[in-house]
Amino acid sequence: MEQDSPRESPSQEGASLPGERPSSALGQSFSQVLHRLTSQESGRGKARSAVVQDLGALIEATECDQLFEGGGTSPRGMPEMLGQVAEALEKYAAPPKEQQGRGHGHSQVAEKAAAVGVLFLKLLGKIEAAQNSLLCPTWKIGLRHLAGPIYIFAVTHSLEQPWTSPRSHDVAGEVLSLLLRVTRCGSVAGFLHGENEDEKGRFTVIMELLKPDLNKESWKKNPATKHVFSWTLQQVTRPWLNEHLERVLPPSLLISDDYQTENKTLGVHCLHHIVLNVPAADLLQYNRAQVLYHALFNHLYTPEYNLIQAVLLCLLDLFPVLEKGLHWKGGAARPTTHCDEVLQLILTHMEPEHRLLLRRTYARNLPAFVKRLGILTVRHLKRLERVIIGYLEVYDGPEEEARLKILETLKLLMQYAWPRVSCRLVVLLKALLKLICDVAKDPNLTPEPVKNTLLEEATDCLILLDHCSQGQVKGLLVKILQSCEDSKVVNCIRKVQQVSEGASCDGT
């Protein structure tokens, strides 16, 4: 089971690879190692572990000038061979397909990763030694071929994932640190896009290496690929990401279009990063922004709070891009926008929603939509009123996040749409007073600081409501003040009454 003798000492014909191969004995040795790493027959038992051990001994016994020979004259010399070996090692240490990589399989991946990481440390150590020596000027060519596969390996095993162990995580972190040191980069971002304007980064090389594993048929075969892509993408920001848009947009859309919520959320995070770091003009070109919008909008029908949160944040940053060319010329009614469409759907989902996590997610983002629409929020006033009243009635847990955000939404609504508020005076006043009474009488469910914040926010809403109704709230509260015995409720009402009589809606 552990024998792979037919591959251990192959003839030159058995070890040959497509294309030109280094003619030196060292090149032949590396060629044999590469063949043993990539052949199907050596994929069982401990055969590949033995290959890794042999490779480690070979690297240790080889001097720098021999390790990188042929780089200056032969396009397929030792540097390219080392790059192929590094790619094979990275794939050898990669986690298996998701449904197969469970339990014991993960521990095996971590063991292999630790062993491969030690090999990469030796290779990078040779390069670092060559940098300090005048005897090996070809190390730059060797590093050019090694940097990409080593980076992918380091990121795969330095992220917190099921296939990593403390040992493999530490080794991968050392590999990444040493890689940055030998490439003379101060950060991963500098490594990817270049430390200065004259230096070409390695992001294109990394994406080319990831590309075969980022298509529709292959992207799930290696569960690490999506995480390496996502993490790498997050490191490249303005103004460098723009030139790579065609490389990063299709994989991001592909990952976000998966049936698994985890992958959808990861893909949406990638899309959000693209929206934030690519100029609007480039997103509008070829209708890319519309493609993004429709991909994101469809996710709003998935009742998963983490996904909804990611989608809403991305949409809020995409709206300015989509509406960049819209200009109201006056006369006719303003056309509805993408923000209107999304808010309408959110409110439709909010009304019957009973799951607390989703209620909090919707409520958390509602103020941003009101701010975005401003006075145009009046288009959604009836439904907003029902949502606000319904959410204020329901206890939301010790932190009361949903009710606090709904109060914030109500304050914004009264500021932007105050002429339409006075006709809703009684309904809103009843809802706010009920909330104040419920919070004041709450024995111990809510912490005191949260209670105080709720009461302060509700009181501010009453003051704004009084301004919008031209002082009608004060008159309606007089009788309550005379009959109410709860000190907290009385304090809230008195604060409303103490507001200057001269205040007007124009000052809100």
Side-chain angles (χ1 to χ4, degrees):
M1 173 174 154
E2 297 175 7
Q3 299 294 324
D4 68 321
S5 53
R7 303 289 174 179
E8 290 283 349
S9 302
S11 64
Q12 284 192 11
E13 290 78 13
S16 63
L17 297 168
E20 182 184 348
R21 181 170 54 87
S23 58
S24 67
L26 180 64
Q28 293 177 15
S29 299
F30 272 98
S31 181
Q32 292 173 10
V33 167
L34 177 61
H35 186 77
R36 290 161 60 192
L37 276 172
T38 55
S39 64
Q40 296 295 327
E41 288 83 353
S42 61
R44 298 179 179 179
K46 298 181 180 178
R48 289 191 179 179
S49 298
V51 177
V52 172
Q53 293 176 4
D54 294 345
L55 182 57
L58 184 61
I59 293 172
E60 285 185 348
T62 307
E63 296 296 330
C64 295
D65 55 342
Q66 294 178 307
L67 201 57
F68 306 117
E69 67 177 353
T73 57
S74 172
R76 294 186 180 274
M78 276 303 301
E80 182 169 334
M81 176 61 67
L82 286 174
Q84 293 173 352
V85 170
E87 286 186 46
L89 287 171
E90 183 271 318
K91 294 184 185 305
Y92 164 72
K97 198 173 181 180
E98 289 184 352
Q99 58 264 36
Q100 299 170 357
R102 307 291 180 191
H104 181 59
H106 284 160
S107 63
Q108 290 180 336
V109 172
E111 290 172 9
K112 291 191 289 186
V116 170
V118 172
L119 273 183
F120 283 149
L121 287 173
K122 290 178 181 178
L123 271 173
L124 292 173
K126 292 284 185 180
I127 293 176
E128 190 172 33
Q131 289 176 338
N132 301 321
S133 170
L134 299 176
L135 301 177
C136 185
T138 56
W139 62 266
K140 289 184 179 179
I141 301 174
L143 181 58
R144 188 185 307 153
H145 290 280
L146 289 170
I150 292 178
Y151 169 84
I152 293 174
F153 164 84
V155 175
T156 297
H157 298 281
S158 60
L159 300 175
E160 291 291 343
Q161 295 295 338
W163 56 81
T164 61
S165 67
R167 167 67 177 155
S168 67
H169 184 273
D170 292 343
V171 171
E174 292 177 27
V175 171
L176 186 58
S177 298
L178 184 53
L179 177 62
L180 294 179
R181 192 159 73 242
V182 298
T183 53
R184 294 168 182 172
C185 296
S187 64
V188 174
F191 173 85
L192 293 170
H193 60 61
E195 288 288 332
N196 52 62
E197 293 181 1
D198 299 328
E199 182 184 353
K200 187 178 180 181
R202 298 167 182 85
F203 186 71
T204 302
V205 174
I206 302 300
M207 288 303 302
E208 287 301 315
L209 289 171
L210 291 175
K211 186 177 180 179
D213 294 328
L214 280 175
N215 59 56
K216 188 175 182 179
E217 289 74 28
S218 64
W219 76 276
K220 282 197 170 184
K221 292 181 179 179
N222 181 351
T225 301
K226 61 189 178 186
H227 296 289
V228 174
F229 168 73
S230 173
W231 191 84
T232 301
L233 174 63
Q234 302 289 331
Q235 312 307 310
V236 183
T237 56
R238 287 177 183 263
W240 298 280
L241 188 59
N242 180 39
E243 62 182 283
H244 304 290
L245 182 58
E246 290 299 327
R247 293 187 180 92
V248 299
L249 184 57
S252 301
L253 288 167
L254 177 65
I255 296 171
S256 72
D257 195 36
D258 191 47
Y259 68 93
Q260 292 179 311
T261 303
E262 175 194 353
N263 293 333
K264 287 181 180 180
T265 307
L266 186 67
V268 170
H269 284 309
C270 293
L271 295 175
H272 193 185
H273 183 77
I274 291 171
V275 169
L276 290 173
N277 290 280
V278 173
D282 293 284
L283 291 175
L284 290 170
Q285 194 175 23
Y286 306 123
N287 223 26
R288 293 185 185 113
Q290 286 292 341
V291 172
L292 283 169
Y293 172 73
H294 289 297
L296 293 166
F297 187 82
N298 290 336
H299 289 316
L300 292 175
Y301 292 96
T302 305
E304 296 289 342
Y305 72 96
N306 282 331
L307 176 61
I308 295 293
Q309 176 65 27
V311 169
L312 292 179
L313 290 177
C314 187
L315 282 170
L316 285 166
D317 286 318
L318 184 61
F319 290 147
V321 177
L322 290 165
E323 297 162 15
K324 194 174 182 67
L326 296 180
H327 299 288
W328 182 50
K329 299 179 180 179
R334 293 189 186 185
T336 57
T337 63
H338 297 88
C339 188
D340 285 301
E341 187 178 17
V342 173
L343 180 57
Q344 183 177 359
L345 182 62
I346 290 174
L347 294 174
T348 301
H349 289 167
M350 286 183 77
E351 281 193 75
E353 187 55 64
H354 62 278
R355 287 162 288 194
L356 285 178
L357 291 175
L358 273 170
R359 288 169 65 91
R360 289 169 190 162
T361 301
Y362 289 131
R364 187 184 303 129
N365 293 280
L366 201 53
F369 279 86
V370 175
K371 286 181 182 178
R372 175 73 193 163
L373 287 173
I375 185 61
L376 297 180
T377 311
V378 295
R379 293 170 172 170
H380 311 275
L381 206 52
K382 289 183 179 179
R383 187 164 284 177
L384 268 169
E385 178 190 325
R386 293 198 300 268
V387 167
I388 288 170
I389 293 170
Y391 274 58
L392 289 180
E393 290 177 348
V394 180
Y395 172 72
D396 183 51
E399 300 302 320
E400 291 282 17
E401 181 182 3
R403 290 209 278 196
L404 284 171
K405 286 297 180 181
I406 289 296
L407 287 171
E408 181 183 346
T409 302
L410 178 57
K411 287 167 66 175
L412 289 168
L413 187 63
M414 288 190 287
Q415 291 171 351
Y416 287 120
W418 59 266
R420 300 287 186 91
V421 172
S422 58
C423 61
R424 294 170 170 81
L425 170 63
V426 176
V427 176
L428 294 175
L429 181 59
K430 284 182 178 179
L432 290 169
L433 288 175
K434 185 178 185 301
L435 171 65
I436 291 172
C437 291
D438 289 345
V439 173
K441 294 177 180 178
D442 180 9
N444 50 21
L445 292 176
T446 308
E448 282 301 317
V450 178
K451 283 185 184 180
N452 293 335
T453 304
L454 270 173
L455 292 173
E456 288 173 7
E457 292 295 316
T459 303
D460 289 343
C461 287
L462 284 174
I463 293 171
L464 278 172
L465 187 60
D466 184 61
H467 292 337
C468 294
S469 62
Q470 299 178 339
Q472 293 183 55
V473 172
K474 289 191 185 77
L476 294 171
L477 292 178
V478 172
K479 294 181 180 179
I480 299 176
L481 190 59
Q482 294 172 351
S483 59
C484 182
E485 297 179 355
D486 189 289
S487 59
K488 290 183 178 179
V489 177
V490 169
N491 286 336
C492 291
I493 294 175
R494 282 178 176 166
K495 285 181 183 177
V496 177
Q497 290 189 324
Q498 287 169 1
V499 174
S500 172
E501 294 289 337
S504 66
C505 289
D506 293 337
T508 57

